[in-house]
Amino acid sequence: MNKTELVEKIAAGAGISKVDAKKALDAAVAAVKEALVAGDKVSLVGFGTFSVTERPAREGINPATKEKIQIEAKKTAKFKAGAELADALK
């Protein structure tokens, strides 16, 4: 499912226009992104939790040249499915 299809599902499920559904989805995604950038956790009960994890710097190998390279530390987004979502997927 892509964003357009998701907007259509939201609009149909909530009985609102596609324009309003797109605004709501964009606002929700922006709020989650803003919270993660600030280092907060976003917990949606029954759905799951978004959080930020830090990956340490490490040594890697360039597959083309077989040279050792240093890979920088970085932050990455993580999602853990909630119990209801996990049960629905069984």
Side-chain angles (χ1 to χ4, degrees), residues 2-8 10 16 19-31:
N2 62 30
K3 185 176 178 180
T4 303
E5 293 167 338
L6 182 58
V7 166
E8 289 173 5
I10 293 170
I16 58 176
V19 172
D20 289 340
K22 183 180 181 310
K23 286 180 187 177
L25 179 59
D26 289 343
V29 169

Side-chain angles (χ1 to χ4, degrees), residues 15-83:
I16 58 176
S17 72
K18 289 181 188 177
V19 172
D20 289 340
K22 183 180 181 310
K23 286 180 187 177
L25 179 59
D26 289 343
V29 169
V32 170
K33 185 192 301 185
E34 187 178 303
L36 293 176
V37 167
D40 295 334
K41 215 189 264 193
V42 178
S43 223
L44 303 172
V45 177
F47 183 71
T49 302
F50 296 91
S51 60
V52 177
T53 60
E54 296 205 25
R55 296 179 69 185
R58 63 191 196 282
E59 193 173 87
I61 298 175
N62 180 335
T65 63
K66 306 297 185 212
E67 284 182 52
K68 290 186 178 185
I69 57 172
Q70 191 62 30
I71 301 169
E72 295 181 17
K74 70 176 187 176
K75 293 180 181 180
T76 185
K78 177 182 170 185
F79 176 75
K80 182 178 180 197

